[in-house]
Amino acid sequence: MKNFLVKTIANAGALAVAVWLLDKITLTGGSTGEKALTLIVVALVFGLVNMVVKPIVQVLTFPLFILTLGLFTLVVNALMLLLTSWVADKLDVSFHVDGFWTAVLGGLIVSIVSWALNAFLPDGD
């Protein structure tokens, strides 16, 4: 349970950095507390999408991973971020990613920042 909480916080931080760096990834809300809560909800959705959908997509696109020497990971990460944006829209959460190329950059930022945060945050159950 502790590991899930740490990963959710790392994802929320990584998504916050992506929102801060990219104009076309938007997070709207009133106060700072509402935005923080929205980031936590989006991080939970993002974690769920990565836990359920991403492995299926990776298995189905395995030949493309081999053919591109792993660069197709950027496309898969972008699709997961776009799917998170779509689910957030359906849940009426104010998080939106505008366009595929923004999602590619956002996915790259989220991957790098969450990797760095997971390296420094405590890991354990």
Side-chain angles (χ1 to χ4, degrees), residues 76-123:
V76 171
N77 288 342
L79 293 174
M80 296 305 108
L81 197 57
L82 285 171
L83 182 59
T84 300
S85 175
W86 180 78
V87 170
D89 182 50
K90 295 300 177 190
L91 294 174
D92 200 28
V93 177
S94 58
F95 176 78
H96 182 69
V97 178
D98 187 27
F100 176 75
W101 293 110
T102 303
V104 170
L105 279 173
L108 185 61
I109 291 169
V110 168
S111 296
I112 291 169
V113 173
S114 66
W115 170 80
L117 287 175
N118 280 315
F120 292 108
L121 288 173
D123 187 27

Side-chain angles (χ1 to χ4, degrees), residues 6-73:
V6 168
K7 287 187 181 292
T8 301
I9 291 170
N11 277 339
L15 287 165
V17 171
V19 167
W20 180 61
L21 288 176
L22 300 174
D23 291 336
K24 291 187 177 183
I25 297 179
T26 56
L27 177 74
T28 56
S31 66
T32 304
E34 289 177 4
K35 288 182 180 180
L37 184 61
T38 301
L39 271 175
I40 296 295
V41 170
V42 172
L44 287 170
V45 170
F46 187 66
L48 189 62
V49 165
N50 279 330
M51 187 174 64
V52 175
V53 179
K54 189 173 184 178
I56 296 168
V57 172
Q58 285 178 330
V59 167
L60 293 175
T61 60
F62 186 70
L64 290 173
F65 279 100
I66 293 172
L67 186 65
T68 63
L69 301 174
L71 287 177
F72 196 71
T73 304

